[in-house]
């Protein structure tokens, strides 16, 4: 049986990756040892942090990936070979399977998907790491209160879309920042955001101020850089900022724009750094709160799904150009 | 009666001011109108924020000061002419009298000094705006707990020295950063800091790490720029940073170094902007807590006092070069 893996053609240079940075290689599927299972991946999650991880800038011991190395990434799939009664063959599981069709994993490293009528891909999006991130921000660190206004950047992505909808479910108002008029229309028309502003439009700053006449109580930042400073400009005094992502510099750290701290001082802002891995222990609470909301459609999911491992590189490039419309996935 | 005022010889250019940027001008002392008092200043407070205010960068409606303009500043002095029974002649008062020997002030704008055996200058330092700043940081925003380690920059200045000593009085440990070995020795030898590190020494970073083997729970930042990032490097995960001053760029905003927000994200830090004016309404609580500590010597005061309004410019230049040793004052 052949496993196809998507690997690097070369180390990624600074800048947005291109499709030719990746290639697909076949290999024989490995045999699971005792305590392991063989998983056939059905969905691969592509996430912006993977750009930093490929460049060796996402923390941890590893350096940048080189030619022939396979990027990591979460997957959902079905166990097709197992000696473990705890995870029988046919079980749906979520784990860090990587950019490939099959993987062998230790039983302790895979998690069976909860019972649900939802498509399994949701466990990579609104009920997966992006959703956990949004929940940690809105429900835990920002502790959004009824009546508060929550501003979210990268709002059409799975973190931002979930954060905004959850804020609204908690009694707040969601205002989104996204990169196209189409995304903005979707946020207000389908996802219940009160307003959305296209940051690529020339009148972005005045439009942002116009939709927030009383300012934002909370800003969930997926972006960093100038957008963080622009958002601080419309933060209410004593507002909260959740520092959660650095999309503005994942592709090219040299283009990084840092924060003038006079801005948070002037706003008496409270800034909180969020790393989603800290909230793994609270995943069951998160699922208990979010799964019913997703199942009854109160929190809608939006997926941008490519097909086949051969499309993984191109789909990742689209994500890094901000061209994805919803959670970036590859169906395998 | 002649009032001598210290005014600008020219608008301040970027960089550290020089004595020749200032001159002293005489004028006839004004007469107080009904509802006003005439105050003979005894001490003028010089503070780093005044550099930004002179440059028009401290918020508020005013632009940069020009030739002949007098900088603002807090003073303590004695009322020498009053028609108000609430503030009789002879009363000691604190108000924003400016860089001059006399001022006429509305009764509502001056505050009588509390009864105390302390020298009146203390109401410009440990019991004045710098002390209120330190209290707001340590007792209110950081809410220092017994056993916590509090790192303070510009620790030999009145904000830093008060913050460190108050943290120790609240059961914490104070570690200081200052600009000379002499200041560091004073912090540990006289003010009860557990350790102090000279940031101008070549081995600063390793020395800082060495005195904080378990990291700092709280960092009170008077400086910004690279020092903020260095301090984040020794912050414990989930630690608190109080953003309180920008000494690193008061002299020259173009030399500003901004914050790479990957650092607070990595540390899961909580950053809080502090503006002392917000805590004016809590001044009586602050005085009630700090005055007994200062009176019994648990919080020691250190003053760097020049004499005569003619010395104000030069004393301010020393402050902006970091050459002051304690609260910068001018006795008038």
């Amino acid at each position: 049986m052949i496993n196809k893996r998507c690997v690097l053609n070369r180390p990624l240079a600074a800048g947005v990756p291109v499709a030719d940075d990746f290639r697909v290689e076949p290999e024989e599927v490995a045999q699971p040892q005792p305590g392991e299972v063989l998983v056939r991946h059905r969905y691969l999650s592509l996430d912006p942090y993977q750009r930093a991880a490929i460049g060796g800038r996402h923390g941890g011991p590893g350096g940048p990936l080189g030619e022939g190395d396979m990027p990591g990434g979460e997957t959902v799939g079905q166990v097709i070979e197992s000696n473990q009664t705890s995870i029988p063959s046919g079980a749906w599981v979520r784990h860090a399977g990587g950019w490939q069709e099959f993987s062998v994993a230790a039983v302790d490293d895979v998690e069976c998907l909860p019972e649900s009528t939802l498509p399994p891909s949701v466990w990579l999006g609104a009920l997966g790491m992006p959703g956990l991130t949004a929940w940690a921000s809105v429900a835990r660190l920002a502790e959004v209160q009824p009546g508060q206004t929550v501003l979210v950047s990268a709002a059409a992505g799975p973190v931002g879309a979930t954060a905004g909808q959850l804020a609204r479910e908690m009694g707040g108002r969601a205002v989104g920042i996204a990169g196209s008029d189409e995304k903005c229309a979707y946020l207000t028309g389908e996802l219940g955001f009160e307003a959305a502003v296209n940051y690529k439009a020339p009148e972005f700053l005045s439009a942002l101020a116009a939709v927030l006449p009383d300012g934002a109580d909370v800003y969930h930042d997926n972006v960093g850089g100038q957008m963080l400073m622009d958002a601080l400009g419309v933060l209410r005094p004593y507002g909260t900022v959740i520092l959660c992502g650095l999309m503005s510099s994942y592709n090219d750290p040299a283009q990084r724009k840092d924060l003038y701290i006079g801005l948070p001082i002037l706003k008496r802002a409270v800034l909180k750094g969020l790393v989603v891995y800290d909230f793994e222990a609270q995943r069951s609470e998160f699922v208990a709160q979010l799964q019913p909301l997703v199942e009854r459609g109160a929190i809608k999911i939006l997926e941008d799904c490519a097909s086949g491992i051969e499309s993984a590189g191109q789909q990742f490039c689209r994500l890094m150009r901000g061209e994805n419309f919803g959670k970036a996935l590859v169906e395998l």
Side-chain angles (χ1 to χ4, degrees), chain A:
Chain A
M1 206 158 46
I2 296 299
N3 175 34
K4 286 192 281 184
R5 315 163 79 229
C6 180
V7 301
L8 291 193
N9 243 344
R10 60 183 78 93
L12 288 197
V16 179
V18 295
D20 189 52
D21 288 328
F22 304 91
R23 68 170 185 262
V24 170
E25 284 185 344
E27 64 167 20
E28 195 64 30
V29 170
Q31 284 301 304
Q33 304 299 310
E36 293 182 335
V37 290
L38 175 62
V39 183
R40 173 67 171 91
H41 303 161
R42 295 301 176 186
Y43 291 95
L44 164 65
S45 179
L46 298 178
D47 300 281
Y49 81 85
Q50 293 170 1
R51 178 66 184 86
I54 291 170
R57 303 185 301 268
H58 195 61
L65 298 192
E67 189 275 328
D69 288 340
M70 181 187 71
E74 287 209 312
T75 54
V76 292
Q78 281 182 287
V79 172
I80 58 172
E81 202 174 323
S82 171
N83 303 314
Q84 303 290 313
T85 52
S86 63
I87 304 187
S89 202
W92 280 91
V93 295
R94 181 180 63 81
H95 77 299
W99 290 26
Q100 56 185 339
E101 295 177 324
F102 296 85
S103 65
V104 167
V107 168
D108 291 347
D109 292 340
V110 307
E111 189 183 332
C112 289
L113 300 189
E115 284 292 320
S116 171
T117 56
L118 294 166
S121 56
V122 76
W123 301 99
L124 298 175
L127 296 179
M129 181 275 287
L132 181 61
T133 305
W135 176 81
S137 173
V138 169
R140 284 294 187 262
L141 293 188
E143 299 180 281
V144 170
Q145 302 299 311
Q148 287 193 322
T149 298
V150 179
L151 178 65
V152 182
S153 53
V159 178
T162 308
Q165 292 179 90
L166 177 59
R168 186 209 55 219
E169 287 300 306
M170 292 171 65
R173 285 184 296 268
V175 173
I177 299 171
S180 74
D181 290 343
E182 188 191 7
K183 289 178 180 176
C184 289
Y186 189 85
L187 291 170
T188 53
E190 299 294 326
L191 299 190
F193 279 62
E194 187 167 281
V197 182
N198 178 357
Y199 72 88
K200 291 180 180 168
E203 71 280 15
F204 167 58
L205 285 180
S206 57
L208 186 63
V211 300
L212 289 163
D214 300 318
D217 299 287
V218 173
Y219 169 57
H220 174 94
D221 183 39
N222 284 313
V223 176
Q226 185 60 47
M227 194 170 294
L228 171 56
M229 290 189 267
D230 293 342
L232 276 163
V234 293
L235 191 75
R236 294 179 66 144
Y238 310 101
T240 298
V241 175
I242 307 301
L243 302 172
C244 186
L246 285 165
M247 188 62 218
S248 60
S249 60
Y250 284 139
N251 282 308
D252 191 352
Q255 295 300 312
R256 206 177 82 190
K257 185 160 186 177
D258 293 340
L259 172 64
Y260 171 48
I261 65 163
L263 292 175
I265 294 178
L266 189 70
K267 286 298 177 93
R268 291 75 160 155
V270 176
L271 281 60
K272 299 184 177 185
L274 189 166
V275 177
V276 65
Y277 310 120
D278 298 350
F279 294 86
E280 277 299 332
Q282 299 177 50
R283 188 182 279 268
S284 59
E285 287 173 77
F286 148 68
V287 170
Q289 185 174 354
L290 269 280
Q291 185 175 347
L293 293 173
V294 177
E295 286 178 342
R296 71 165 198 260
I299 290 182
K300 294 183 184 171
I301 56 179
L302 176 64
E303 296 179 344
D304 186 318
C305 194
S307 184
I309 191 67
E310 291 79 4
S311 69
Q314 181 57 54
Q315 177 74 337
F316 187 65
C317 296
R318 289 183 64 240
L319 171 65
M320 297 313 292
R321 290 193 300 262
E323 294 173 10
N324 60 305
F325 200 109
K327 173 75 190 98
L329 295 167
V330 181
E331 188 171 5
L332 300 169

